[in-house]
Amino acid sequence: MNARVLPYVLILPVTAFLCLFFLYPFVLVAKQAFSTGDGFTLDNFRQVVGYWKFPISLQNTLLLAAAVVPVQLALALLMATMVNKMQRGRDLVLYVWTIPLGISDLAAGIIWLAIFEQSGFLNSMLSGLGVVDRPVNFLSYQHPGVVFLAIALAEIWRATAIMLVILVAGIGLIPKEYYEAAEVFGASPWKRFTRITLPLLRPSLQTALVLRVILAFEVFAVVLALGGTLFPVLMSETYAYQFDLLDSGAAAAMALIILAISIGFTLIILRALRVPKGATI
Amino acid sequence: MAEIQIKNVAKRFGSYQALRDINLTIQDQEFMVLLGASGCGKTTLLRIIAGLETATEGEVWIGGRRVDHLPPKDRGIAMVFQNYAVFPHLTVFENIGFGLRMQKLPNDEVKRRVERTAGLMHIDQLLGRYSGELSGGQRQRVAVARALAMEPDVILMDEPLSNLDALLRMEMRAELKGVLAESNTTAIYVTHDQVEAMSMADRISVMHQGKIVQAASPIEVYRNPAAEFVAGFIGNPPMNFLPATPAGDGKWTVAGQILDGPSRTTPLHFAIRPEDLRPADTGLAAMVKVVEPLGAHLLVTCSVDGALFRAVLDSDLTVRRGDTLTLAPQPDRVRWFDPETTLAVA
Ligand SMILES: Nc1ncnc2c1ncn2[C@@H]1O[C@H](COP(=O)(O)OP(=O)(O)O)[C@@H](O)[C@H]1O
Ligand SMILES: [Mg+2]
């Protein structure tokens, strides 16, 4: 077959698949979001944005992302650097560290619920040590900080590995000679990290951050398991519109708002970490 | 003053002995070339001097200071890497200034030194570019400029020209030698290319299987190889060898001919360079197998007493395959080696 046509023929099945199961539903959702029965309207958007829970859920989602993603980034970088320095047992450590990736987000939420709930591990431990007289209900409206912390911890525990895997692969691509050159020319280990590793890791950082930030705006099951209705986020509001209030127009509008935020942050990350032309490895 | 002394250095990688018993003194401002085949330990020795590798045994002294426990940056060295290691995310300017920035020099000093060394290496037009926008030769210049900008006591180079094409290599060879002579630094230059070594070095250290076989001036290494390995490695084509049996009284039988030699009673190897042979009335009988006209010379590959033997002759001669030549070795150029030790015999 003609070598110029062949690549397109080969990607055709995937493209068709994506059009059918992604693009088409997307168009349907968009149509739903922009109509209430009688033509094009922004009513759905006005309704969801005007609802009193919207600012809180937006704020909660952003706060959670702002708390979780930087910690995860720092942890993933630290872990990736450590793994990269290992001579032996590197694969084993990587497997162990990525175990949380194999657990669904709801299961992860339930694991942390088992720790924080009234009859959970944390309470048993604290009363065993005599710190508290009787079990405390940490995950109640009286302790919003603890609820936030529990959710953040669960998210960090669950989803740091996805960044780790990407960064380990990225660090592995940086030739050792650059580090040796930097060392000879007087760069301390910290300077080698900030002047060599970080800038040369930009493509991997982009991927890891985009992926992680998008996931952070879609956070749902962990929040539901640990915070229930105490901690509304954008995704749980969407769920409520669709299944509690049976208002699919509003749910579709919420979905599009989340999509717009994700796209916005993706563009910011891509722009902030872009590599100038000619400056790739 | 940056004299380098390497004392009893040995290096093992697990059970593999990469370097053994290296002793070498490099004078201040000397241009020392480490020459040897791939895998003989040149890079390992250079990295031990740089501090990128630790010796299993021995000491390294630079400028009268023991440095083998110091990190690379405290040794007063700069290095040019084989693959250049020009940082891809920095411009040429920032690459050359990298070491100066690490020393926290003020901006105008960095600018002054970067521009000076970039001028020396003729890359002042490229200061704003990234390494992805440079050719191999330009990257090489950046790597050298980055080392020179440090104004180091010692500059270490690991096969810096091996990735360039032949013409560029010849050009850079001369240029690099000039620039380094100007800069008054001590230089250690690793190469497997004997032409590069001969043309650039003040002294050559020939390495073989983790040892230094001979350290001497290029002409000395060429004329008086200390061992058969050196004789066979240096020179293109290399020296010819023939077995010699003692005929008493300092006379030796070589391929049926009687020649003068050292007074010894055990068999030796007779050695002569291809260009030190002349067609004559008496001499070694050589059966011509291949004739290669090289313009300036005629390279003739023959068989003498069943052994491979090459001669570089005047290109005016007419020699054909199958001819038998009588080749007379120039007496003062004949060398002798002990086959037991492979070392030269006076
Ligand atoms: N880090 C290492 N681990 C194990 N063996 C090595 C290492 N570095 C070099 N060697 C071995 O030491 C020998 C000398 O290597 P090298 O100094 O790089 O040789 P050269 O530069 O002369 O080609 C080679 O046989 C090489 O395989
Ligand atoms: Mg080498």
Side-chain angles (χ1 to χ4, degrees):
Chain A
M1 189 180 286
N2 190 330
R4 276 212 275 179
V5 182
L6 188 63
Y8 297 97
V9 173
L10 290 177
I11 62 168
L12 193 65
V14 183
T15 315
F17 181 89
L18 283 177
C19 285
L20 192 61
F21 292 103
F22 179 77
L23 220 50
Y24 179 63
F26 175 78
V27 170
L28 286 188
V29 168
K31 231 169 95 183
Q32 234 171 4
F34 286 106
S35 62
T36 45
D38 40 35
F40 178 84
T41 168
L42 289 175
D43 282 355
N44 284 323
F45 289 92
R46 265 183 223 114
Q47 181 201 341
V48 297
V49 172
Y51 185 51
W52 67 273
K53 267 178 124 179
F54 181 82
I56 301 171
S57 52
L58 179 62
Q59 184 192 339
N60 281 343
T61 309
L62 289 176
L63 270 181
L64 195 60
V68 167
V69 175
V71 174
Q72 287 187 321
L73 179 63
L75 272 178
L77 275 171
L78 181 70
M79 290 155 87
T81 315
M82 283 175 4
V83 165
N84 204 50
K85 286 260 156 62
M86 293 178 69
Q87 309 278 342
R88 237 170 284 169
R90 179 192 144 111
D91 289 351
L92 182 70
V93 169
L94 256 183
Y95 285 135
V96 172
W97 281 355
T98 47
I99 283 176
L101 271 189
I103 296 173
S104 82
D105 48 354
L106 184 59
I110 291 170
I111 290 173
W112 285 83
L113 184 65
I115 296 173
F116 279 101
E117 70 183 344
Q118 202 153 10
S119 55
F121 298 126
L122 185 60
N123 269 309
S124 321
M125 199 177 81
L126 290 179
S127 61
L129 291 171
V131 180
V132 295
D133 311 332
R134 72 170 91 120
V136 186
N137 188 4
F138 290 114
L139 302 174
S140 75
Y141 68 94
Q142 288 147 314
H143 302 108
V146 180
V147 174
F148 183 83
L149 197 70
I151 294 172
L153 271 177
E155 274 292 287
I156 289 168
W157 176 83
R158 183 180 73 82
T160 301
I162 185 78
M163 297 182 89
L164 172 68
V165 181
I166 296 170
L167 295 184
V168 165
I171 288 183
L173 288 178
I174 302 175
K176 252 178 74 187
E177 222 175 21
Y178 293 139
Y179 291 103
E180 296 186 337
E183 188 180 351
V184 165
F185 289 102
S188 62
W190 175 248
K191 277 274 195 279
R192 269 174 262 158
F193 178 72
T194 56
R195 297 297 183 87
I196 308 294
T197 308
L198 281 186
L200 290 181
L201 206 54
R202 273 179 297 189
S204 308
L205 284 173
Q206 274 182 343
T207 313
L209 272 176
V210 166
L211 206 64
R212 190 57 203 100
V213 166
I214 290 176
L215 285 176
F217 291 123
E218 292 172 357
V219 66
F220 177 59
V222 170
V223 173
L224 205 67
L226 289 167
T229 52
L230 292 175
F231 193 83
V233 287
L234 290 176
M235 221 39 169
S236 61
E237 286 313 287
T238 312
Y239 182 88
Y241 278 120
Q242 179 73 33
F243 296 102
D244 299 342
L245 305 171
L246 302 179
D247 185 346
S248 46
M254 284 294 285
L256 286 193
I257 290 172
I258 296 173
L259 179 67
I261 295 175
S262 296
I263 291 175
F265 273 90
T266 301
L267 292 178
I268 291 172
I269 293 166
L270 291 182
R271 171 96 194 143
L273 293 175
R274 79 184 184 289
V275 180
K277 190 174 157 288
T280 45
I281 294 179
Chain B
M1 275 295 287
E3 183 188 79
I4 302 167
Q5 282 176 294
I6 296 151
K7 299 181 183 172
N8 302 315
V9 162
K11 176 68 185 179
R12 273 186 299 276
F13 292 110
S15 63
Y16 180 76
Q17 182 97 33
L19 291 176
R20 61 188 87 203
D21 197 27
I22 303 281
N23 281 288
L24 189 63
T25 301
I26 299 153
Q27 308 297 334
D28 182 37
Q29 300 188 24
E30 188 175 23
F31 195 122
M32 171 64 88
V33 171
L34 301 180
L35 175 66
S38 178
C40 71
K42 308 179 296 288
T43 297
T44 305
L45 180 55
L46 197 74
R47 289 167 59 87
I48 287 173
I49 299 169
L52 292 170
E53 198 86 71
T54 31
T56 316
E57 286 165 37
E59 301 172 5
V60 179
W61 293 66
I62 296 178
R65 219 164 37 119
R66 187 167 173 190
V67 297
D68 41 280
H69 300 293
L70 298 180
K73 71 177 169 67
D74 297 332
R75 297 187 178 201
I77 55 142
M79 191 159 170
V80 179
F81 290 80
Q82 182 165 10
N83 299 314
Y84 317 138
V86 170
F87 303 122
H89 59 293
L90 299 179
T91 59
V92 168
F93 184 100
E94 287 304 327
N95 261 288
I96 300 176
F98 187 87
L100 309 176
R101 295 256 189 245
M102 291 300 131
Q103 294 178 348
K104 302 209 161 57
L105 293 186
N107 271 330
D108 50 345
E109 173 71 2
V110 172
K111 188 162 182 296
R112 194 184 65 75
R113 286 221 226 163
V114 168
E115 280 170 357
R116 193 180 67 82
T117 39
L120 273 180
M121 296 308 298
H122 306 295
I123 44 173
D124 16 14
Q125 302 306 313
L126 308 175
L127 288 175
R129 297 224 201 146
Y130 289 103
S131 99
E133 302 165 316
L134 302 177
S135 69
Q138 290 170 332
R139 251 176 251 177
Q140 215 278 321
R141 286 168 183 274
V142 175
V144 175
R146 178 173 63 184
L148 288 174
M150 299 290 286
E151 296 176 2
D153 300 328
V154 177
I155 191 160
L156 306 173
M157 288 169 277
D158 192 357
E159 312 218 8
L161 305 184
S162 64
N163 290 338
L164 303 182
D165 58 57
L167 205 64
L168 204 54
R169 196 148 62 201
M170 206 157 81
E171 193 184 304
M172 278 304 289
R173 209 159 70 199
E175 197 176 325
L176 208 50
K177 188 175 175 175
V179 168
L180 285 168
E182 281 295 297
S183 69
N184 299 328
T185 48
T186 310
I188 304 183
Y189 186 104
V190 163
T191 183
H192 65 263
D193 181 339
Q194 47 160 313
V195 180
E196 227 167 88
M198 297 290 287
S199 66
M200 296 178 87
D202 292 329
R203 253 187 331 145
I204 298 177
S205 295
V206 184
M207 293 184 65
H208 182 49
Q209 294 179 345
K211 281 200 218 165
I212 292 180
V213 190
Q214 185 173 15
S217 70
I219 198 66
E220 179 73 8
V221 168
Y222 188 78
R223 284 283 170 240
N224 298 311
E228 274 188 28
F229 170 77
V230 181
F233 189 73
I234 305 254
N236 187 17
M239 258 183 157
N240 294 304
F241 297 99
L242 290 172
T245 46
D249 262 357
K251 300 283 180 201
W252 294 82
T253 313
V254 179
Q257 291 293 308
I258 301 292
L259 297 172
D260 288 330
S263 26
R264 282 247 191 163
T265 52
T266 50
L268 290 179
H269 284 168
F270 156 93
I272 186 80
R273 290 219 174 265
E275 62 270 31
D276 296 333
L277 292 159
R278 297 279 171 279
D281 297 336
T282 59
L284 306 162
M287 238 277 278
V288 176
K289 301 209 136 160
V290 182
V291 180
E292 297 169 69
L294 300 178
H297 308 284
L298 209 57
L299 173 58
V300 184
T301 305
C302 341
S303 159
V304 172
D305 216 18
L308 180 75
F309 203 83
R310 294 192 189 87
V312 172
L313 303 176
D314 195 299
S315 51
D316 288 343
L317 286 171
T318 38
V319 182
R320 265 187 228 94
R321 181 185 147 79
D323 289 356
T324 300
L325 296 172
T326 310
L327 297 173
Q330 203 175 313
D332 60 329
R333 295 282 167 85
V334 173
R335 298 291 175 265
W336 304 88
F337 294 94
D338 184 339
E340 295 290 319
T341 61
T342 78
L343 296 180
V345 175

